[in-house]
Amino acid sequence: MEKSESKNNPENKSEIIINRKTPLSEVLKLGQVCSKCGHCCRHGSGCLARGDLKKIAEFLKMDEKEVEQRYLEAVEKFNTILFRPKLIREEGKPYGKCVFMKPDNSCSIQEAKPLQCKVGNCTEHGERLNLWFMLNYHLNENDPESVRQFAVYLKCGGKTLLGAELNDLIKDQEKLRKIITYKIFR
Ligand code: SF4
Ligand code: SF4
């Protein structure tokens, strides 16, 4: 894989580059590394994408609506709503244990777990793998509100990957200016 660095992204010269267009197959390979300590599942859960709801429903032998109602909660980022497994929160805490985490730290839906659980991990690539997921599944360059919220995120110091600065997403600078200034509303 290529190597380089860029302003406003967490790449390091000596590390593998993960950009927004890195194929899912590559990302999944990097995401496989996990010692199954359960730390991440004790404090959150990963978002569903690409037909995960259907896979989970088939795995649990339930219909999709029932899975949604019993086990999932919605999260919104960059004007995109995705589902993730519910978190069992202690009172007053914003984080909690994933509803599918078993007492031995394993995942009760391992074969059908959400895409973000498959691509994210805590290795040296973990941050960029999560950025890859965010840029591919939360950010929507065809939705002006999503682009505006992403612009605010970047302005506040939010990280991105190579090829996913605002100018990369919207190459027409006049259009980008109109989106940011609400001349193009939706
Ligand atoms: S679905 Fe499985 S892998 Fe994903 S957070 Fe829950 S327990 Fe962990
Ligand atoms: S990704 Fe990391 S924190 Fe999460 S279970 Fe695997 S080793 Fe533990």
Side-chain angles (χ1 to χ4, degrees):
M1 262 184 255
E2 60 180 321
K3 296 180 178 184
S4 89
E5 64 181 348
S6 145
K7 176 183 134 316
N8 206 26
N9 80 57
E11 305 290 359
N12 176 302
K13 254 187 176 170
S14 63
E15 291 179 344
I16 293 169
I17 290 291
I18 300 165
N19 64 39
R20 190 188 187 203
K21 298 208 166 134
T22 300
L24 177 60
S25 54
E26 291 293 328
V27 169
L28 286 172
K29 269 187 234 159
L30 293 168
Q32 270 170 7
V33 183
C34 169
S35 64
K36 301 191 171 40
C37 72
H39 181 76
C40 55
C41 310
R42 257 195 304 278
H43 297 90
S45 63
C47 287
L48 283 65
R50 297 172 73 102
D52 284 337
L53 177 57
K54 188 167 181 281
K55 284 184 223 154
I56 295 171
E58 283 171 4
F59 181 79
L60 295 175
K61 300 188 180 20
M62 292 168 79
D63 77 39
E64 293 181 18
K65 206 72 212 160
E66 194 182 354
V67 172
E68 198 181 308
Q69 283 166 354
R70 284 179 62 172
Y71 296 120
L72 304 181
E73 62 184 35
V75 280
E76 185 183 347
K77 191 175 181 74
F78 303 146
N79 207 35
T80 301
I81 294 173
L82 296 179
F83 284 106
R84 71 176 176 197
K86 277 183 186 167
L87 303 183
I88 303 164
R89 298 172 173 87
E90 285 175 33
E91 207 179 319
K93 295 196 174 153
Y95 59 86
K97 190 177 90 162
C98 172
V99 69
F100 291 125
M101 188 186 184
K102 294 204 287 191
D104 67 355
N105 290 343
S106 63
C107 173
S108 63
I109 58 163
Q110 176 66 22
E111 295 86 338
K113 68 183 182 181
L115 184 66
Q116 195 175 16
C117 299
K118 291 183 194 148
V119 303
N121 64 18
C122 59
T123 64
E124 71 272 30
H125 309 303
E127 182 181 36
R128 283 166 290 143
L129 292 169
N130 274 314
L131 287 171
W132 180 93
F133 185 89
M134 176 191 88
L135 292 164
N136 279 285
Y137 295 99
H138 287 286
L139 177 61
N140 177 5
E141 69 259 48
N142 297 314
D143 171 11
E145 182 53 29
S146 188
V147 173
R148 279 191 286 275
Q149 290 183 15
F150 182 60
V152 171
Y153 160 87
L154 290 177
K155 207 169 173 186
C156 295
K159 290 177 178 175
T160 189
L161 296 176
L162 283 175
E165 302 287 349
L166 272 179
N167 294 344
D168 301 313
L169 297 172
I170 312 284
K171 296 206 185 297
D172 179 339
Q173 292 306 290
E174 181 56 12
K175 183 177 175 189
L176 179 58
R177 189 189 64 75
K178 285 183 175 168
I179 289 173
I180 300 295
T181 57
Y182 288 85
K183 299 266 177 354
I184 297 176
F185 195 65
R186 55 172 78 177

